[in-house]
């Protein structure tokens, strides 16, 4: 079972991420997150309407699109609205368009035939295996209808499925599959959308794990359920019952084949993938995991709980041990409950820092310092050092973005002069730092200037701002050790104004500050499928910086530093000034 502490965090995150899929030209302002459309955790598919006798063709077409959101049995609910010939030829698997709104335009009509054109703005596409691809485009298609036994039915339609955004949100649920980072110590979320009843969910998710990560992630993660791994027999409750599997208590029993060559560590990683994928989808344990009928770990004959793989907790954070810090008047400060104190070492003594980043374990610091030299000499220098010791310059430029640390705590990333992405990699054995270029050609072709780069805590994804637009890219390391930023995708489509700062809240959500007076801070999922307006109460625009963790978001606005606690009740969530920084003009700093 999920621990009470983690369960509260899961519920808080779910409350945060109310559904808004694309097209958010105007995000609502509220004391609690609000969004166009609704999505509740664990939503069940709505019942699809059956064709109503005597229905006019345009109204019948509306009912057809509503029924198209129910994908069971090859969209059997929607096929009721088709003629027999059209049903036999309709390729519902070709594509799924999630439409911002479907407009129906009438064409020529006779007593027995009618033509329509459907037109919409696309919010996104739902690809195979539940992969959502955000996008904004127009969609036009021709529909023909005819009378069959006195009732209107669709006789010709394009391949694929068109779903109204609201119907999509009511019938599909967002889930995260978990794969393994290159270092083998962190789980990486891969967001998918599923539909169907709760008792089908465990089968769906485990099969998706076996099918592997989406193509954009495949070069950056590993999967212990790949290759020859399969499921022997049905997935059941822990006691072997086959009904209501994954519903309520009773646990899950899965018997895997193909694990003969996996050692103890590989089996632990497999267990972590399966358990956290199911637990995050509210499929409760215990999780009885077998290999050819025998426990994959003989010390857990009665099954696993999340406690058995808690070191892989996707919502785990190092923030509590490292603590909140801030940059004020060019100096790195440690923030305690009621006061601030300069950090030990160089960064707590400096007075010329423009930005600072702490490694995830808090032992190393990277900061951008003002050189004080007049143009054309470089005005910024990247400093790297220990938290409580000295530091030395490793790179210079006219501009250097806020640094960000990789998952191994030995490399700080930054962007020099808007286009040159570098890694300042420290050799743990010698302490020497090498500056290594990152292949960012896939990013630099998107615009003229990168103003923000933040690595996810798993180190597998990077969130970037390029000319005010938010992208998510995959971090890939080739066998020679060269890092690349690949597969960039715009995720905050419809943001409405330029993004100015961002950070990762969890492995699948990003918090964004934007140029806006109404709703300056929003949260978006990594696949771009949801965007949520965070509360704006107490904030004074502009919001200058944002830093985030699974528990708390921090921002620096025009007056002070504020925190938003994700554990607060939805009706009582608002930005509270950080007491230790009261009256201090500062920028919040969390590890990463």
């Amino acid at each position: 079972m999920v621990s009470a502490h983690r369960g509260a965090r899961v519920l808080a995150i779910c409350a945060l991420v109310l559904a808004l899929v694309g097209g958010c030209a105007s995000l609502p302002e509220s004391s609690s997150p609000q969004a166009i459309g609704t999505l509740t955790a664990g939503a069940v598919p709505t019942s699809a309407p059956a064709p109503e006798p005597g229905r006019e063709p345009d109204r019948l077409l509306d009912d057809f699109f509503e029924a198209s959101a129910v994908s069971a049995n090859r969209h059997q609910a929607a096929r009721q609205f088709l003629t027999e010939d059209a049903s036999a030829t309709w390729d519902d698997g070709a594509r799924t368009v999630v439409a911002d709104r479907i407009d129906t335009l009438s064409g020529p009509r006779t007593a027995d035939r009618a033509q329509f054109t459907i037109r919409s703005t696309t919010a996104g596409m739902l690809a195979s295996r539940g992969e959502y691809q955000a996008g904004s485009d127009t969609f036009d298609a021709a529909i023909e209808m005819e009378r069959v036994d006195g009732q209107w039915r669709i006789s010709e339609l394009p391949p694929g499925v068109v779903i109204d955004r609201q119907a999509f949100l009511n019938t599909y649920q967002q889930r995260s599959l978990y794969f393994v980072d290159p270092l083998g110590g962190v789980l990486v979320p891969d967001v998918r959308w599923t539909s169907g009843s709760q008792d089908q969910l465990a089968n769906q998710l485990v099969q998706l794990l076996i099918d592997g990560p989406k193509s954009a992630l495949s070069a950056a993660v590993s999967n212990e359920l790949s290759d020859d791994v399969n499921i022997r027999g049905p997935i059941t409750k822990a006691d072997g019952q086959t009904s209501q599997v994954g519903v309520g208590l009773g646990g899950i029993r899965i018997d895997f084949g193909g694990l003969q060559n996996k050692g103890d560590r590989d089996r632990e990683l497999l267990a972590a993938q399966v358990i956290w994928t199911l637990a995050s989808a509210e499929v409760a344990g215990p999780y009885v995991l077998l290999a050819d009928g025998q426990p994959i770990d003989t010390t857990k004959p009665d099954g696993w709980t999340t406690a058995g793989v808690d070191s892989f907790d996707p919502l785990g954070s190092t923030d509590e041990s490292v603590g909140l810090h801030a940059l004020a008047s060019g100096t790195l400060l440690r923030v305690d409950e009621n006061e601030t104190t300069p950090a030990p070492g160089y960064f707590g003594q400096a007075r010329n820092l423009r930005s600072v980043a702490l490694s995830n374990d808090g032992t190393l610091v990277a900061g951008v310092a003002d050189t004080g030299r007049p143009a054309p000499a470089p005005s910024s220098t990247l400093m790297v050092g220990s938290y409580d010791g000295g530091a030395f310059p490793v790179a210079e430029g006219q501009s250097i973005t806020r640094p960000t640390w990789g998952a191994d705590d030995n490399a700080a990333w930054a962007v020099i002069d808007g286009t040159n992405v570098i890694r300042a990699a420290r050799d743990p054995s010698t302490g020497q730092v090498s500056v290594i270029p990152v292949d960012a050609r896939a990013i630099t072709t998107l615009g003229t200037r990168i103003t923000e780069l933040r690595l996810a805590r798993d180190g597998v994804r990077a969130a970037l701002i390029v000319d005010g637009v938010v992208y998510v890219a995959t971090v890939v390391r080739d066998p020679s050790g060269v890092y690349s930023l690949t597969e960039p995708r715009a995720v905050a489509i419809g943001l409405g104004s330029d993004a100015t700062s961002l950070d990762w809240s969890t492995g699948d959500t990003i918090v964004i500050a934007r140029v806006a007076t109404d709703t300056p801070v929003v949260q978006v999922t990594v696949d771009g499928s949801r965007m949520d307006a965070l509360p704006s109460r107490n904030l004074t625009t502009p919001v200058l910086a944002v830093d985030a963790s699974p528990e708390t978001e921090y921002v620096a606005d025009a007056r002070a530093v504020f925190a938003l606690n994700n554990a607060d009740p939805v009706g009582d969530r608002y930005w509270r000034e950080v007491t230790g920084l009261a009256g201090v003009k500062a920028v919040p700093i969390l590890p990463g």
Side-chain angles (χ1 to χ4, degrees):
M1 281 238 174
V2 181
S3 69
H5 176 60
R6 183 183 185 276
R9 286 186 289 152
V10 171
L11 292 175
I13 296 298
C14 290
L16 264 177
V17 191
L18 297 178
L20 175 61
V21 181
C24 60
S26 112
L27 291 165
E29 179 177 2
S30 173
S31 61
S32 62
Q34 300 291 325
I36 298 174
T38 59
L39 181 68
T40 57
V44 296
T46 57
S47 57
E52 184 178 322
R55 193 77 155 163
E56 281 297 300
D58 56 339
R59 301 295 300 277
L60 190 85
L61 201 51
D62 292 340
D63 296 342
F64 166 72
F65 290 126
E66 182 179 348
S68 296
V70 181
S71 61
N73 300 320
R74 296 187 62 239
H75 292 90
Q76 182 57 42
R79 290 181 186 275
Q80 300 176 88
F81 295 81
L82 311 182
T83 64
E84 288 187 11
D85 288 345
S87 179
T89 59
W90 181 39
D91 181 9
D92 63 314
R95 60 179 176 177
T96 299
V97 176
V98 181
D100 187 51
R101 186 186 69 247
I102 302 173
D103 293 325
T104 302
L105 307 178
S106 299
R109 177 176 172 176
T110 65
D112 295 316
R113 291 188 175 273
Q115 296 180 7
F116 295 92
T117 298
I118 58 171
R119 180 169 299 163
S120 70
T121 299
T122 301
M125 302 283 291
L126 191 64
S128 62
R129 303 190 302 164
E131 299 177 22
Y132 187 94
Q133 300 172 358
S136 181
D137 201 357
T138 56
F139 176 82
D140 290 74
I143 300 281
E144 294 195 12
M145 304 182 72
E146 65 181 49
R147 286 187 188 272
V148 177
D149 297 329
Q151 304 297 326
W152 287 102
R153 292 293 183 267
I154 298 169
S155 56
E156 292 188 23
L157 74 166
V161 178
V162 181
I163 306 175
D164 174 80
R165 179 179 63 190
Q166 187 58 59
F168 171 74
L169 296 175
N170 287 340
T171 53
Y172 283 78
Q173 298 83 45
Q174 180 186 311
R175 309 296 187 188
S176 285
L177 310 178
Y178 287 101
F179 298 97
V180 183
D181 80 306
L183 301 177
V186 180
L187 294 181
V188 180
D190 184 352
V191 173
R192 306 296 179 90
W193 286 83
T194 65
S195 64
S197 59
Q198 183 72 14
D199 62 355
Q200 300 171 333
L201 188 56
N203 272 296
Q204 287 179 317
L205 295 177
V206 174
Q207 186 58 56
L208 286 171
L209 281 174
I210 291 173
D211 292 341
K214 64 181 63 173
S215 59
L217 279 178
S218 59
V221 297
S222 62
N223 182 19
E224 294 299 331
L225 281 81
S226 61
D227 302 327
D228 298 326
V229 175
N230 56 72
I231 303 173
R232 300 173 70 247
I235 296 177
T236 69
K237 284 185 176 288
D239 63 2
Q241 293 185 41
T242 57
S243 63
Q244 296 293 290
V245 176
V247 179
L249 302 178
I252 292 289
R253 179 185 181 276
I254 309 173
D255 191 359
F256 292 103
L259 305 188
Q260 297 90 338
N261 297 323
K262 289 189 180 294
D264 292 344
R265 179 59 176 175
D266 291 340
R267 292 184 177 214
E268 182 185 27
L269 290 173
L270 182 148
Q273 284 187 249
V274 172
I275 290 167
W276 284 115
T277 294
L278 295 177
S280 66
E282 300 180 1
V283 177
Y287 307 95
V288 179
L289 306 180
L290 308 176
D292 296 318
Q294 301 299 316
I296 66 170
D297 184 338
T298 55
T299 68
K300 298 179 175 63
D302 298 323
W304 299 62
T305 67
T306 54
V309 285
D310 58 355
S311 64
F312 298 96
D313 185 349
L315 294 182
S317 174
T318 60
D319 298 342
E320 292 182 5
S321 59
V322 177
L324 175 66
H325 288 68
L327 178 64
S329 301
T331 301
L332 177 63
L333 306 174
R334 180 176 178 86
V335 182
D336 296 316
E337 186 174 350
N338 295 310
E339 63 178 359
T340 61
T341 54
Y346 163 81
F347 294 96
Q349 299 171 0
R351 298 293 182 269
N352 64 339
L353 298 174
R354 293 176 170 172
S355 62
V356 175
L358 297 169
S359 63
N360 292 287
D361 62 6
T363 61
L364 298 177
V365 186
V368 178
D370 187 341
T371 65
R373 304 204 300 264
S379 63
S380 299
T381 182
L382 179 63
M383 307 291 295
V384 175
S386 63
Y387 179 75
D388 55 3
F392 50 90
V394 299
E396 291 186 331
Q398 291 298 346
S399 69
I400 302 178
T401 60
R402 172 174 56 154
T404 181
W405 286 89
D408 64 355
D409 291 321
N410 281 305
W413 295 49
V415 184
I416 299 177
D417 295 332
T419 56
N420 301 320
V421 182
I422 59 99
R423 294 175 63 248
R426 173 181 174 271
D427 185 336
S429 62
T430 65
Q432 293 189 342
V433 176
S434 301
V435 176
I436 308 166
V438 173
D439 183 352
R441 288 173 293 178
I443 308 300
T444 55
T445 59
L446 299 172
T448 59
R449 193 170 192 82
I450 305 168
T451 56
E452 186 88 301
L453 165 64
R454 302 294 291 167
L455 293 175
R457 292 173 186 84
D458 53 46
V460 169
R461 288 189 179 97
L464 307 100
I465 299 176
V466 183
D467 295 345
V469 180
V470 177
Y471 296 89
V472 169
T474 304
V475 178
V476 176
R477 181 183 185 274
D478 71 17
S480 66
V482 175
Y483 282 79
S484 302
L485 293 173
T486 66
E487 303 282 351
R489 293 188 180 185
V491 296
I493 295 172
L495 187 61
S497 57
D498 284 354
T500 57
S501 180
L502 55 74
D503 197 31
W504 294 86
S505 176
T506 65
D508 52 18
T509 54
I510 302 164
V511 180
I512 303 167
R514 65 178 189 141
V515 180
T517 57
D518 55 349
T519 307
V521 187
V522 302
Q523 190 173 46
V524 64
T525 49
V526 70
D527 65 349
S529 58
R530 298 176 176 178
M531 186 156 29
D532 171 71
L534 294 186
S536 56
R537 180 180 169 188
N538 288 347
L539 295 184
T540 301
T541 56
V543 172
L544 305 174
V546 60
D547 217 329
S549 74
E551 294 83 13
T552 310
E553 284 80 40
Y554 293 91
V555 298
D557 74 354
R559 298 181 296 113
V561 175
F562 291 86
L564 186 69
N565 190 334
N566 294 334
D568 286 343
V570 172
D572 191 36
R573 297 187 69 247
Y574 61 91
W575 297 96
R576 294 176 169 87
E577 187 171 359
V578 176
T579 55
L581 291 170
V584 179
K585 187 73 171 177
V587 172
I589 299 169
L590 293 173

